[in-house]
Amino acid sequence: MVALFGISFLTPLNALFVLAAAVPLAALALTERRADQIRRILRLQSPGRRALMPIAIALVLLPTLVAVAAAQPVVVREQFVSERADAQAFVLFDTSLSMRATGRPGGPTRLLRAKRLALRLQRSLTDVPMGIASMTDRSLPIIMPTTDPALFRRAVEQSVAINEPPPSQQYTSRATTFAALVPLVESHFFSQGVQRRLLIVLTDGESTRISPLLKLTLHRRVAPVFIHVWEPGEKIYSKRRADRRYAADPSSGKALDELAEITGSTHAYDEKSISAATHAARDAVGRAGTQTHIDAYARIALAPWFILGGILPLGFLFWRRTL
């Protein structure tokens, strides 16, 4: 990639297409040479080189515009970003089938409510880079920690979905297992050197039996905040008909409290206690100064505009041909 005056060319070698302008110029010169010979025989006056100049310019301009477009120019915009270097967070969505449950047909599902909570949490922790992951019986990162609210919102709205990722195997009952939290800690989801690691888990708590071994892998290595997205009597609807195979588990809240205690937290938070959960998340990462750095990224692709500009010399050549 080559950068020039704030514009980067992703494929600069493609600009060599401009050499193709030599072909129509040579054809124009040959045509004019033959036309001069005919005019001398017929004793006609030559229009002069000045009359040919617009045609020559059009013949050069057209392949030049195509060559610039082929080089893929993009405007590079520099943006100053201030964020914490000592802390990162991940929002982990439970995307198992039970998160489709809702209180009424067409009502907000648990997953939709979890998405709204995640956006609210991100707005409360704007200085902390926050990533997104999803889980069933395994966890999958969606975006790495960022302080870009637009990117975070788009990822939540467009990339978080039921059974994404799908369970690694078929289950006759529940697919969710909180053993999927382990890779978030042991893998490189968090950047190296980050002292404060926050894990916010949005789940209905309807999982397989919780293993006490989670304490060995999670305790003191990450600060967890569990939010129970669940209401009594919720059902999974398909075409406005309730799935008889599913029943909301009233013990899920207690099970999630046990998980919170095992992993070093005090208790899980109800989805209606989002303010308390936000305070717990802030207490986990604390407050510290931010570092400012420049984030440069391609903002606008210019190739379509150069292709569109090629209509002018091409139209001029067709117009001159009809004269």
Side-chain angles (χ1 to χ4, degrees):
M1 184 175 69
V2 176
L4 180 64
F5 302 116
I7 298 178
S8 293
F9 295 90
L10 303 182
T11 52
L13 290 179
N14 290 353
L16 293 176
F17 181 79
V18 71
L19 300 177
V23 176
L25 287 177
L28 177 63
L30 181 60
T31 301
E32 277 303 307
R33 182 177 179 182
R34 293 179 177 177
D36 283 340
Q37 294 175 352
I38 295 174
R39 280 192 287 265
R40 282 195 295 269
I41 295 174
L42 298 177
R43 296 182 179 180
L44 296 176
Q45 185 177 2
S46 175
R49 294 183 179 180
R50 182 173 298 180
L52 298 176
M53 189 61 67
I55 299 176
I57 292 175
L59 290 175
V60 173
L61 185 59
L62 180 58
T64 300
L65 291 173
V66 174
V68 174
Q72 300 187 67
V74 291
V75 174
V76 176
R77 178 184 173 187
E78 292 184 345
Q79 180 180 14
F80 288 93
V81 176
S82 296
E83 61 185 22
R84 294 268 297 273
D86 65 321
Q88 286 185 351
F90 259 97
V91 176
L92 180 63
F93 289 90
D94 179 358
T95 56
S96 59
L97 186 60
S98 61
M99 292 295 286
R100 283 180 53 192
T102 179
R104 66 182 188 280
T109 64
R110 294 172 180 171
L111 184 59
L112 178 59
R113 302 198 308 266
K115 290 182 177 184
R116 293 172 179 172
L117 294 174
L119 294 176
R120 183 172 173 179
L121 285 163
Q122 195 278 331
R123 289 193 294 269
S124 300
L125 299 169
T126 54
D127 59 326
V128 179
M130 188 173 294
I132 300 173
S134 58
M135 75 166 190
T136 48
D137 65 344
R138 52 184 175 151
S139 54
L140 176 73
I142 296 176
I143 62 169
M144 303 310 288
T146 178
T147 52
D148 186 339
L151 174 61
F152 187 90
R153 184 180 64 254
R154 286 197 300 268
V156 167
E157 294 173 350
Q158 301 176 13
S159 301
V160 178
I162 295 296
N163 276 345
E164 294 293 341
S168 59
Q169 54 185 310
Q170 295 291 332
Y171 291 87
T172 56
S173 55
R174 297 175 178 176
T176 304
T177 171
F178 287 109
L181 300 180
V182 175
L184 279 167
V185 178
E186 294 187 340
S187 300
H188 298 291
F189 281 35
F190 292 93
S191 300
Q192 293 183 353
V194 173
Q195 294 87 17
R196 297 176 180 268
R197 301 181 178 189
L198 172 64
L199 178 60
I200 302 172
V201 183
L202 296 162
T203 177
D204 57 16
E206 298 178 354
S207 69
T208 57
R209 186 176 179 181
I210 299 170
S211 172
L213 295 177
L214 283 176
K215 182 175 183 179
L216 301 177
T217 55
L218 298 182
H219 192 48
R220 295 183 179 179
R221 300 179 65 182
V222 64
V225 174
F226 295 93
I227 301 178
H228 191 211
V229 187
W230 187 92
E231 292 289 343
E234 290 183 310
K235 299 179 181 180
I236 297 176
Y237 291 93
S238 177
K239 297 181 180 180
R240 306 186 69 83
R241 297 183 62 181
D243 187 346
R244 296 181 179 180
R245 296 171 297 179
Y246 173 77
D249 183 4
S251 67
S252 60
K254 182 179 179 180
L256 203 57
D257 283 336
E258 293 176 357
L259 175 61
E261 185 177 354
I262 288 174
T263 55
S265 185
T266 55
H267 59 84
Y269 296 89
D270 183 85
E271 62 178 297
K272 295 180 181 179
S273 304
I274 184 61
S275 295
T278 301
H279 287 304
R282 172 55 72 183
D283 290 341
V285 296
R287 296 184 182 275
T290 59
Q291 294 184 356
T292 302
H293 62 91
I294 296 177
D295 182 19
Y297 57 96
R299 187 66 178 178
I300 302 175
L302 301 179
W305 297 102
F306 282 95
I307 292 295
L308 187 63
I311 295 177
L312 296 177
L314 185 61
F316 173 76
L317 292 174
F318 277 114
W319 176 71
R320 283 299 300 262
R321 184 179 180 182
T322 58
L323 292 180

